[in-house]
Amino acid sequence: MRVEIWSDIACPWCYVGKARFEKALAAFPHRDQVEVVHRSFELDPGRAKGDIQSVITMLTKKYGMSAAQARAGEENLGAQAAAEGLAYRTEGRDHGGTFDMHRLLHLAKRHGRQDELVQILYRANFAEERSVFAEGDERLVELAVEAGLDADEVRRVLADPAAYADDVRADEREAAQLGATGVPFFVLDRTYGVSGAQPAEVFTQALTQAWGDRSPLTLLDTGDADACGPDGCAVPQG
């Protein structure tokens, strides 16, 4: 079974939702038969690379809330994260474009290191003092290397704006086609969708239902034909 997760590194509920989903997945009896794929979704598509501001400033401008409301929201998110065992800095974080991060996540997917990079980027953005936005490409290189990627290859991708750009845009178009208007957005076997950072119990229910509702393979009655198997291949007889 495949679970696809549309998310953004700048999304705090994606950070929390991933932890809740993984709690459910860890206890799922068929865990070893579940493939998890991370898909791209930008909260601020088109934001310029150098357009960086504090999270509080971003919240007040984008959502029209007061600074006090923004700070209260961050405190609430910090408490929600702590409940899942996650570190979360409620003050001093900044916000910027995540397009390059999504491009690197597609590179990481090609090398089988996508989940590692997702978690490292979340940790860096939400828990560490150093910015993932303000320090430039070398900060992303450092984090990607920690996830097991080659530094030179990462630099080549970051230096080429077209590298994996189509993959990111394709993910975002697909999210829109599936009806996702926000993230995190979980799609189980292209049959069930779960929106938001739901409690682990909801993810457990969704995994169980999706697994149970999988359609068994139906073999067509087309008669016998030559095939290969554990004992070898059928050899045509003259």
Side-chain angles (χ1 to χ4, degrees):
M1 185 169 71
R2 169 181 280 201
V3 178
E4 297 162 276
I5 307 174
W6 272 264
S7 60
D8 192 8
I9 298 303
C11 165
W13 287 118
C14 297
Y15 179 46
V16 173
K18 182 177 186 291
R20 292 174 178 173
F21 169 76
E22 288 179 343
K23 184 180 294 184
L25 186 60
F28 186 56
H30 310 287
R31 168 65 186 94
D32 292 342
Q33 298 176 65
V34 177
E35 176 192 13
V36 178
V37 178
H38 296 279
R39 310 292 294 271
S40 300
F41 190 107
E42 293 171 277
L43 293 177
D44 279 331
R47 177 183 277 264
K49 191 168 183 176
D51 185 2
I52 302 166
Q53 58 189 170
S54 74
V55 167
I56 299 301
T57 299
M58 180 275 292
L59 292 172
T60 58
K61 290 184 175 180
K62 187 172 183 177
Y63 300 107
M65 60 178 64
S66 68
Q69 289 173 319
R71 292 190 185 94
E74 284 295 287
E75 289 292 337
N76 176 57
L77 279 163
Q80 298 273 355
E84 304 303 330
L86 301 172
Y88 189 98
R89 293 179 63 227
T90 59
E91 297 181 359
R93 290 195 306 110
D94 59 8
H95 177 82
T98 55
F99 185 61
D100 282 349
M101 297 181 203
H102 285 294
R103 294 196 299 121
L104 290 181
L105 285 168
H106 279 280
L107 170 66
K109 179 183 177 183
R110 187 163 69 84
H111 290 290
R113 308 299 296 175
Q114 192 184 45
D115 192 68
E116 288 83 356
L117 183 56
V118 165
Q119 194 59 37
I120 286 168
L121 290 172
Y122 277 144
R123 183 205 71 208
N125 185 43
F126 292 108
E128 297 182 356
E129 290 189 13
R130 294 177 61 193
S131 171
V132 296
F133 303 106
E135 293 193 24
D137 287 353
E138 281 306 304
R139 175 64 169 148
L140 295 183
V141 171
E142 175 187 321
L143 295 170
V145 168
E146 184 181 343
L149 300 182
D150 177 74
D152 290 337
E153 186 176 20
V154 172
R155 290 190 182 98
R156 285 194 295 271
V157 168
L158 290 173
D160 178 7
Y164 297 100
D166 288 345
D167 300 271
V168 176
R169 298 305 181 212
D171 278 359
E172 293 173 338
R173 286 194 300 271
E174 196 163 7
Q177 292 166 0
L178 291 170
T181 57
V183 285
F185 187 67
F186 302 78
V187 176
L188 292 77
D189 252 7
R190 288 301 170 108
T191 303
Y192 295 98
V194 178
S195 181
Q198 300 286 348
E201 294 78 11
V202 172
F203 289 120
T204 297
Q205 180 183 356
L207 287 165
T208 302
Q209 187 168 348
W211 183 269
D213 287 353
R214 290 177 307 141
S215 298
L217 182 67
T218 300
L219 291 175
L220 299 177
D221 185 8
T222 54
D224 294 332
D226 293 334
C228 293
D231 296 324
C233 298
V235 178
Q237 302 297 315

